[in-house]
Amino acid sequence: MRKIYHEQLDDILPELERMTRTVSTAVRRSTAALLTADLGTAEEVIAADSQLDATGEMVEEKIFELIARQAPVADELRMLVAALRMVADLERMGDLAAHVAKIARLRYPLPAIPVELESLIEDMGRVAQRLVDQAGNVINSRDVSAAQQIASDDDEMDRLRSNQFRLMMAPSWPHGVEVAVDIALLGRYYERIADHAVSMARSIIFLVTGEMPLAQ
């Protein structure tokens, strides 16, 4: 019985790592749909979000069952608590990628992004995807130093967000209110994806060290 229990414990983190790969793909494809006005890809990202949520619910149910039936203690309980936090982060990141795709769908057949802002949005998508990938790598390695690095790498997203505000608030902004709202929302979506990746990294640090690092 204990062997089965430990096998079930060992399955949880790999499942979370697989979820990060799903989220990474969603971020990449939603950004591509946004930049190319690709309605088909946008619809696929939006539809795929429900499957990610279903996977998250399955993992949560497994965790709650292990807590209820096996009464885990010490590092086992810490791992399950950290996993629950990461499931929530992953589900939210999937939702945010779907929100990006919904803006692409809303503006179709026109591109949602003015040409001169494409590089900014592309960079935001790239940074968000990279942080998701790093979070997946840290789940696999449980490398505390690599987890700490994710918080530092998030500074790049903060710089992009500041640049976004600078462009939008300039007196010479030529694109009107509707585009400004879209760009502001997109910046927020990418910023929150990055924030959730940092949150996952903090959960891994907690899992390994037993101490939750302070939010920066």
Side-chain angles (χ1 to χ4, degrees):
M1 194 70 180
R2 296 297 289 182
K3 180 181 178 182
I4 295 173
Y5 166 54
H6 285 287
E7 287 175 350
Q8 291 173 323
L9 279 176
D10 291 342
D11 284 344
I12 289 173
L13 291 183
E15 187 64 59
L16 294 181
E17 185 185 0
R18 286 190 287 273
M19 288 179 69
T20 66
R21 306 310 170 201
T22 300
V23 170
S24 175
T25 298
V27 173
R28 174 178 57 78
R29 300 191 75 214
S30 63
T31 302
L34 189 68
L35 294 171
T36 62
D38 185 337
L39 180 61
T41 297
E43 295 284 12
E44 288 171 3
V45 172
I46 294 164
D49 184 48
S50 61
Q51 182 58 52
L52 180 72
D53 289 342
T55 301
E57 290 172 6
M58 179 192 70
V59 175
E60 286 177 339
E61 288 173 4
K62 184 184 295 185
I63 291 170
F64 288 131
E65 183 175 352
L66 288 173
I67 291 173
R69 292 177 178 242
Q70 302 294 339
V73 295
D75 58 336
E76 296 171 351
L77 182 59
R78 192 162 68 233
M79 192 275 282
L80 294 172
V81 170
L84 279 175
R85 292 172 58 94
M86 288 189 282
V87 169
D89 286 321
L90 286 160
E91 289 180 342
R92 187 58 186 143
M93 284 192 281
D95 292 341
L96 291 161
H99 290 337
V100 172
K102 286 176 182 177
I103 289 183
R105 182 175 67 180
L106 178 66
R107 301 306 173 201
Y108 180 82
L110 299 176
I113 310 301
V115 172
E116 62 269 34
L117 296 176
E118 286 180 356
S119 62
L120 174 65
I121 295 301
E122 187 174 12
D123 286 345
M124 283 186 159
R126 172 183 52 79
V127 172
Q129 183 186 352
R130 189 184 74 225
L131 292 172
V132 174
D133 288 337
Q134 288 176 241
N137 293 338
V138 166
I139 290 173
N140 181 54
S141 68
R142 304 193 199 185
D143 184 329
V144 171
S145 295
Q148 293 168 335
Q149 185 62 43
I150 293 176
S152 297
D153 290 349
D154 181 47
D155 291 344
E156 185 176 356
M157 181 65 79
D158 294 336
R159 287 192 293 271
L160 291 168
R161 188 85 159 115
S162 295
N163 188 38
Q164 178 200 45
F165 280 122
R166 180 182 61 78
L167 292 171
M168 290 171 55
M169 299 302 292
S172 58
W173 173 260
H175 302 295
V177 173
E178 187 175 84
V179 173
V181 169
D182 285 349
I183 297 298
L185 287 172
L186 289 166
R188 182 58 174 163
Y189 297 155
Y190 286 122
E191 181 182 45
R192 290 300 296 150
I193 290 170
D195 289 344
H196 283 291
V198 172
S199 175
M200 289 179 66
R202 294 175 68 241
S203 292
I204 289 295
I205 294 171
F206 168 71
L207 188 160
V208 174
T209 67
E211 297 181 359
M212 179 62 76
L214 295 176
Q216 297 183 351

